[in-house]
Amino acid sequence: MKLATTIKYAAIAGALVTASNATAGVSATAYLELNDLVVEIDTNGDLIPDPVNPLDFISILPGGTRSTSTFVDNNGASDSDLDSQPSATADSDADLLCLGASCGVLGLTNNGQSVDGGNLVASDAFYYSVADAQVTGSAIGAGATGFTYADAGIPAGNDESAGANSNIANDILTTFTLGMLTDINVRFSALMDYLVDAFISPDIAADGTRGATSTAKATFGIELVSFDTGDTVDIDGDSGVTFNDIAIDQPGLGNLIVRSGNDVDFTSGWANVTAGTYQLTITQSSTVQTTLVPAPATLAMAAFGLLGLGLTARRRKQK
């Protein structure tokens, strides 16, 4: 999924133009991809990564798990898939799911949606709910790569909803063997590609008869817990490290919040560890939700109208 940087920036620019220039509709897109996620090690306390192999200090034990999941909901109809592996390093690939009238024309392919490839749907011109997820490799070793993708769109109508989410969950049981060292510092680094966008077109935002909401969220988190004591290891003074991007659009905001990046350096703080067994938990998710419903004032007027019709009918019956 990796392309030359100039091609990638052109690709994401095209995706954003598609999302922002459509004429009518509500859409939300959340794509998060991590490449070359690895553990870096500092053995002498200078907080500079040493040119060492993490596998010389960290071993992966049996008992870990890895899974990917996808879920889509479109006007109350839903579908889901879970690919759960009994190994913390096994490849996991949940099915690409799509619900909605436009699924046949979107041109989606399993694991093909990428900021790099420029073929994110990211448009409010269609009616769909989409989710996809995949993860390969191991952060303790040669590196891991994984992505989560959720996308939803509503072109028109009332009482419409479309949402999706995708997830990666990786629980890795590890043992740190330090030899003559009393402790070492570890941190995590990766390259990130992401697009988080929520969009409501101006015509819908200005339509007093309809209410619309659009939200998109992408998150990534790492937590290291001592299996022996149950204590969470501080990473730069915190209990873990989290990347969190949220985009929200409501009538009046004007699609002001769009977050995107290509080959963005992600580096956690340092965590100091001693010899022992640790549970490493790595999670990632993309979630979107869109709605297009009658505005409350419109509903109230409709209710009064129905009440008036009822009273009129009752009077006619009494005559």
Side-chain angles (χ1 to χ4, degrees), residues 31-34 192-196 217-222 240-246 259-261 264-266 283-285:
Y31 181 89
L32 177 58
E33 178 181 346
L34 274 82
M192 301 178 62
D193 299 331
Y194 59 95
L195 169 61
V196 183
K217 182 178 181 180
T219 66
F220 172 73
I222 298 173
V241 58
T242 301
F243 168 87
N244 192 340
D245 253 350
I246 302 174
R259 308 179 190 276
S260 63
V264 176
D265 287 326
F266 168 85
T283 57
Q284 183 176 327
S285 67

Side-chain angles (χ1 to χ4, degrees), residues 188-230:
F188 302 86
S189 68
L191 294 176
M192 301 178 62
D193 299 331
Y194 59 95
L195 169 61
V196 183
D197 185 27
F199 175 74
I200 298 173
S201 60
D203 59 319
I204 290 178
D207 186 349
T209 67
R210 291 185 290 182
T213 61
S214 178
T215 61
K217 182 178 181 180
T219 66
F220 172 73
I222 298 173
E223 186 180 60
L224 189 63
V225 177
S226 170
F227 194 78
D228 304 313
T229 66

Side-chain angles (χ1 to χ4, degrees), residues 288-319:
V288 297
Q289 184 66 52
T290 56
T291 61
L292 186 55
V293 299
T298 306
L299 289 174
M301 291 176 63
F304 281 121
L306 291 173
L307 179 60
L309 289 173
L311 291 174
T312 302
R314 186 175 182 180
R315 290 194 189 102
R316 286 176 179 172
K317 189 174 180 180
Q318 289 174 343
K319 287 182 178 178

Side-chain angles (χ1 to χ4, degrees), residues 74-249:
N74 197 287
N75 270 352
S78 62
D79 195 8
S80 62
D81 185 61
L82 171 65
D83 180 34
S84 182
Q85 300 292 334
S87 168
T89 58
D91 292 352
S92 184
D93 185 0
D95 287 344
L96 166 68
L97 300 179
C98 186
L99 280 181
S102 303
C103 288
V105 299
L106 293 178
L108 298 169
T109 58
N110 188 46
N111 302 331
Q113 292 62 249
S114 171
V115 170
D116 291 351
N119 56 347
L120 283 168
V121 175
S123 171
D124 60 346
F126 302 105
Y127 192 14
Y128 60 88
S129 302
V130 180
D132 199 6
Q134 182 192 38
V135 62
T136 63
S138 172
I140 304 171
T145 294
F147 80 92
T148 51
Y149 169 53
D151 212 339
I154 304 171
N158 268 338
D159 286 325
E160 307 283 350
S161 64
N165 65 66
S166 57
N167 298 278
I168 297 173
N170 206 176
D171 292 318
I172 310 169
L173 192 61
T174 65
T175 181
F176 284 69
T177 305
L178 307 186
M180 300 297 294
L181 298 172
T182 58
D183 64 341
I184 60 172
N185 296 312
V186 299
R187 73 178 185 184
F188 302 86
S189 68
L191 294 176
M192 301 178 62
D193 299 331
Y194 59 95
L195 169 61
V196 183
D197 185 27
F199 175 74
I200 298 173
S201 60
D203 59 319
I204 290 178
D207 186 349
T209 67
R210 291 185 290 182
T213 61
S214 178
T215 61
K217 182 178 181 180
T219 66
F220 172 73
I222 298 173
E223 186 180 60
L224 189 63
V225 177
S226 170
F227 194 78
D228 304 313
T229 66
D231 295 333
T232 301
V233 178
D234 284 343
I235 301 178
D236 239 9
D238 204 348
S239 60
V241 58
T242 301
F243 168 87
N244 192 340
D245 253 350
I246 302 174
I248 300 173
D249 198 11

Side-chain angles (χ1 to χ4, degrees), residues 3-59:
L3 296 179
T5 300
T6 54
I7 298 176
K8 289 163 55 181
Y9 276 104
I12 194 168
L16 291 174
V17 167
T18 303
S20 301
N21 288 349
T23 57
V26 182
S27 68
T29 304
Y31 181 89
L32 177 58
E33 178 181 346
L34 274 82
N35 293 285
D36 303 323
L37 175 64
V38 296
V39 177
E40 297 179 329
I41 293 178
D42 160 40
T43 61
N44 58 13
D46 63 359
L47 302 183
I48 298 174
D50 297 333
V52 297
N53 186 346
L55 294 177
D56 292 338
F57 300 88
I58 310 172
S59 301

